[in-house]
Amino acid sequence: MKFCKMNRILAWISCLTIAAVNAFPADNALKLYQKGKYEDAIRKYNRIIKDHPDWEEAHFGKGAALYKSNQVEEAIREFENAIPMKDPKQKSAVLYNMGNALYQANRIDESLQFYKKALELNPKDMDAKYNYELAKAMMKQQNDQNKEKKDQKEQQQSGQNKQEQQQKEQQKQNAQQQQAQMKNRKEKEKDQKEAAQILDALKENEKKLMQERMKVPYSGIKKEKDW
């Protein structure tokens, strides 16, 4: 009637038994279920439901057989049809089984609500209480894991954004350095060009001065008359 206990409280639960099968009518379908002939039981319940579509007990029995056949989603639909049961204990058993099926379908947050409703109808149901606490702990573990994954993703995104910003800053610095180097090179080339022009001008002036000096007549040294 309860989840099988594992060595650790938060371990995954793999073996479930279905609650309150003795709530079924004493018919051939129930006997087939008790013998473990679940597919045969499902077919029998289908015939019963065809003639009595509003018979909650038959939907409950079919849901239990489907659950045992690992047809969890189909079992959930049948348990839903059995919820209108009037008897509080039987209704509590339906809600409990609904919680088990939802848990198996990994809809843990929904299973908690059904365990809670089952306990409201039957506070002495220790199986429902155990499964409720266990599912609540599992839900907390999943939420913690999801939060951890979210935090890791945000940290990775933040690190990536920071890295991209650093790359942009580095690219900006490189561009500025290249611009400064180009400016310095142009200024140096300009200085060299101006220096060359000045030197050429000096050389030209010196050449002109030399040419002008060459134009001055050479008078030589005057000789005294030989009397």
Side-chain angles (χ1 to χ4, degrees), residues 78-101:
E78 292 303 320
F79 289 142
E80 286 176 341
N81 291 328
I83 288 176
M85 280 187 178
K86 303 299 181 184
D87 182 85
K89 286 188 177 181
Q90 287 187 344
K91 189 179 185 73
S92 175
V94 173
L95 295 171
Y96 170 83
N97 285 358
M98 187 73 169
N100 286 354

Side-chain angles (χ1 to χ4, degrees), residues 25-114:
D27 55 14
N28 292 334
L30 174 58
K31 293 178 182 178
L32 291 169
Y33 177 92
Q34 291 171 336
K35 292 179 180 179
K37 297 180 179 181
Y38 304 122
E39 294 296 334
D40 292 338
I42 292 169
R43 284 191 287 271
K44 181 64 177 177
Y45 279 119
N46 282 337
R47 289 194 290 271
I48 295 172
I49 292 170
K50 183 177 179 180
D51 296 332
H52 306 281
D54 297 329
W55 192 2
E56 291 90 353
E57 287 84 353
H59 287 289
F60 184 31
K62 182 183 176 183
L66 286 165
Y67 181 91
K68 283 291 192 178
S69 300
N70 295 320
Q71 301 178 62
V72 178
E73 293 297 335
E74 292 83 353
I76 290 172
R77 287 194 289 270
E78 292 303 320
F79 289 142
E80 286 176 341
N81 291 328
I83 288 176
M85 280 187 178
K86 303 299 181 184
D87 182 85
K89 286 188 177 181
Q90 287 187 344
K91 189 179 185 73
S92 175
V94 173
L95 295 171
Y96 170 83
N97 285 358
M98 187 73 169
N100 286 354
L102 288 167
Y103 187 98
Q104 284 296 95
N106 202 30
R107 293 158 63 178
I108 301 175
D109 54 337
E110 295 177 67
S111 73
L112 282 169
Q113 301 303 317
F114 282 92

Side-chain angles (χ1 to χ4, degrees), residues 212-223:
E212 289 175 357
R213 287 174 184 170
M214 292 297 291
K215 290 178 182 178
V216 176
Y218 178 70
S219 59
I221 300 175
K222 291 182 179 181
K223 295 182 180 180

Side-chain angles (χ1 to χ4, degrees), residues 176-192:
Q176 290 175 345
Q177 289 177 355
Q178 289 177 355
Q179 289 176 354
Q181 290 172 356
M182 186 177 294
K183 183 179 179 181
N184 291 336
R185 186 166 58 251
K186 287 183 177 179
E187 290 178 352
K188 186 176 180 180
E189 290 175 352
K190 181 180 178 182
D191 292 343
Q192 289 175 344

Side-chain angles (χ1 to χ4, degrees), residues 121-179:
L121 290 175
N122 185 10
K124 295 181 180 180
D125 188 346
M126 292 297 101
D127 292 340
K129 181 174 177 59
Y130 175 82
N131 285 1
Y132 175 78
E133 294 297 333
L134 196 57
K136 186 166 67 172
M138 185 62 69
M139 191 68 192
K140 182 180 182 302
Q141 185 185 54
Q142 285 189 355
N143 289 338
D144 291 344
Q145 289 175 344
N146 290 338
K147 184 178 183 302
E148 184 178 354
K149 289 179 181 179
K150 182 180 178 182
D151 292 343
Q152 289 177 349
K153 185 176 180 180
E154 289 177 351
Q155 289 176 358
Q156 290 175 353
Q157 186 64 42
S158 176
Q160 184 176 352
N161 292 340
K162 185 176 180 180
Q163 185 177 7
E164 289 176 354
Q165 185 63 29
Q166 289 176 344
Q167 289 176 348
K168 289 180 180 179
E169 290 293 335
Q170 187 63 45
Q171 290 173 355
K172 184 178 179 180
Q173 290 178 5
N174 293 340
Q176 290 175 345
Q177 289 177 355
Q178 289 177 355
Q179 289 176 354

